[in-house]
């Protein structure tokens, strides 16, 4: 069994920066490679494109989710419609069906 260290950084596409900073985006949905965030930890937030730091967030929860279980509440927490959310997730993670919902708050 490989032990993963707790991550101290997370990246988001630049297009999500305003929603994160305004508090409108309070979750992120990731694949299994990013399941190691721990509740109560504080992580640095940077842009995926150029690794520019723009915030710190506190991790409130990490839970599993199957793609078909995506609902209006998840969409609201992502600050988009359910159709948009399903489209974005499918674009970023084609063919993946199991995810990890990381709920967070801005520090």
């Amino acid at each position: 069994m490989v032990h993963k260290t707790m991550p101290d950084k997370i990246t988001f596409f630049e297009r999500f920066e305003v929603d994160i900073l305004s508090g409108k985006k309070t979750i992120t949905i990731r694949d299994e490679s990013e399941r190691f965030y721990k509740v109560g930890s504080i992580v640095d937030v940077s842009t995926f494109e150029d690794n520019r730091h723009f915030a710190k967030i506190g991790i409130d929860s990490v839970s599993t989710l199957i793609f078909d279980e995506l609902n209006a509440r998840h969409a609201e927490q992502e600050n988009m419609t359910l159709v948009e959310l399903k489209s974005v997730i499918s674009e970023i993670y084609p063919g993946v069906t199991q995810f990890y919902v990381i709920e967070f708050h801005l520090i």
Side-chain angles (χ1 to χ4, degrees), residues 29-33 65-68 70 86 89-100:
I29 299 172
R30 304 295 176 111
D31 70 2
E32 71 176 58
S33 70
L65 174 76
I66 301 303
F67 183 84
D68 290 340
L70 283 169
K86 287 182 175 183
I89 295 297
S90 295
E91 175 188 316
I92 296 171
Y93 302 110
V96 177
T97 58
Q98 181 172 331
F99 297 95
Y100 293 81

Side-chain angles (χ1 to χ4, degrees), residues 2-103:
V2 176
H3 176 70
K4 294 282 187 176
T5 59
M6 183 176 64
D8 60 0
K9 179 180 176 181
I10 192 168
T11 61
F12 288 88
F13 291 116
E14 288 177 341
R15 66 184 186 226
F16 299 123
E17 181 176 355
V18 171
D19 284 348
I20 293 166
L21 292 175
S22 69
K24 292 179 180 175
K25 178 175 173 63
T26 59
I27 66 169
T28 185
I29 299 172
R30 304 295 176 111
D31 70 2
E32 71 176 58
S33 70
E34 295 191 70
R35 71 182 185 273
F36 300 102
Y37 290 92
K38 299 293 182 203
V39 173
S41 64
I42 295 174
V43 296
D44 290 314
V45 181
S46 298
T47 56
F48 175 78
E49 292 84 352
D50 61 7
N51 202 33
R52 178 180 44 81
H53 180 270
F54 68 89
K56 284 186 179 285
I57 58 172
I59 306 299
D60 297 323
S61 69
V62 179
S63 57
T64 58
L65 174 76
I66 301 303
F67 183 84
D68 290 340
E69 296 171 345
L70 283 169
N71 61 44
R73 177 71 178 134
H74 296 118
E76 178 184 322
Q77 291 172 299
E78 288 272 12
N79 194 36
M80 53 183 81
T81 68
L82 184 54
V83 170
E84 289 171 322
L85 177 58
K86 287 182 175 183
S87 176
V88 167
I89 295 297
S90 295
E91 175 188 316
I92 296 171
Y93 302 110
V96 177
T97 58
Q98 181 172 331
F99 297 95
Y100 293 81
V101 177
I102 302 167
E103 191 167 354

